[in-house]
Amino acid sequence: MRAFILSQPKSGTYLAANILRELGLEHRGLHLTPTPYYYEYDLNDPHCMDKDKFQTYKKRGKNFESNVKLIPNNSFGVGHIPMMIPFQKALDKFKRILITRPSHDVKDSASRFKEDYNRKINVQELLRERIAEWKPYCFHLTFEDMINGNVDKIDQLQVHLFNKVVTDSQKALDQALRSDSPTKSKIRQ
């Protein structure tokens, strides 16, 4: 089984990744884009998102359809991928998880990201809307579900991924929230 986190920018992509890791899936740091380019971050590098460093993790593949094949079994990738038929086909055999967050919270988070990492991030409303179009085709998890410890939702996520609950969702959430992640805001540290 392979999974993919489809997320709106600044909606909790790497918090969701921490949750999936706590549920037993592997993340090699693959952050795909709708272009041939992708990032393969060193998740142990606390500075991998810094303005002067994140581009060093950028790689060029053939296209999105080929790049998803880099995700091995029992693993997952992440990306801000708009809902379009070629991308849907490429992710057809993946367990898909959509991460969303209200627009005003995203703007606040993007401002903190700029301050914390000295990088501006694209939070175009059109892109957010195109990503949200995945909703009928994915398990939907919100930033609030994660940050507020919605254990029932994480139980449902496990059923989506594994057809059963395989681990204690409360423990997984607690550990995911405590864990570092490449884009964790300083207000959550």
Side-chain angles (χ1 to χ4, degrees), residues 17 20 29 36 52 66-67 69 81 83 115 118 134 137 160 177:
L20 292 191
D52 298 331
S66 294
N67 294 345
K69 294 175 183 171
I81 309 298
M83 174 52 181
E115 186 177 306
N118 194 27
W134 281 100
Y137 309 100
H160 171 72
L177 287 164

Side-chain angles (χ1 to χ4, degrees), residues 156-174:
Q156 293 169 26
L157 173 61
Q158 290 192 64
V159 171
H160 171 72
L161 293 169
F162 311 115
N163 298 316
K164 63 182 178 180
V165 174
V166 297
T167 193
D168 183 306
S169 290
Q170 184 67 63
K171 286 182 183 176
L173 265 171
D174 291 346

Side-chain angles (χ1 to χ4, degrees), residues 10-176:
K10 302 311 303 159
S11 295
T13 306
Y14 287 98
L15 175 54
N18 282 351
I19 291 170
L20 292 191
R21 286 171 58 197
E22 292 301 320
L23 297 179
L25 294 177
E26 181 186 347
H27 186 219
R28 292 182 32 214
L30 286 171
H31 187 125
L32 304 186
T33 73
T35 72
Y37 293 97
Y38 66 93
Y39 296 86
E40 191 166 6
Y41 294 114
D42 174 358
L43 298 175
N44 295 314
D45 177 359
H47 302 288
C48 69
M49 289 295 171
D50 289 353
K51 183 178 183 179
D52 298 331
K53 194 157 189 188
F54 84 102
Q55 289 291 350
T56 64
Y57 293 103
K58 189 175 190 176
K59 299 182 179 187
R60 182 178 174 90
K62 183 177 176 186
N63 55 37
F64 179 82
E65 293 81 356
S66 294
N67 294 345
V68 296
K69 294 175 183 171
L70 296 170
I71 302 167
N73 202 27
N74 297 315
S75 298
F76 66 94
V78 303
H80 310 308
I81 309 298
M83 174 52 181
M84 297 173 70
I85 297 300
F87 303 140
Q88 185 181 20
K89 286 181 179 179
L91 293 171
D92 189 46
K93 298 203 183 315
F94 283 73
K95 300 283 186 159
R96 297 178 298 253
I97 302 114
L98 174 65
I99 310 297
T100 62
R101 188 175 187 183
S103 186
H104 63 279
D105 290 343
V106 166
K107 289 176 184 168
D108 291 344
S109 181
S111 294
R112 286 190 302 274
F113 184 82
K114 182 178 180 186
E115 186 177 306
D116 292 349
Y117 297 96
N118 194 27
R119 278 182 52 204
K120 188 174 182 181
I121 191 161
N122 183 352
V123 290
Q124 293 177 359
E125 200 59 35
L126 180 60
L127 175 62
R128 288 177 39 73
E129 289 171 11
R130 292 301 311 268
I131 293 168
E133 291 173 13
W134 281 100
K135 195 172 181 179
Y137 309 100
C138 299
F139 180 85
H140 183 218
L141 188 64
T142 67
F143 182 77
E144 290 77 15
D145 289 329
M146 296 182 289
I147 206 77
N148 294 326
N150 186 339
V151 174
D152 290 336
K153 195 72 172 197
I154 303 307
D155 283 345
Q156 293 169 26
L157 173 61
Q158 290 192 64
V159 171
H160 171 72
L161 293 169
F162 311 115
N163 298 316
K164 63 182 178 180
V165 174
V166 297
T167 193
D168 183 306
S169 290
Q170 184 67 63
K171 286 182 183 176
L173 265 171
D174 291 346
Q175 184 58 40

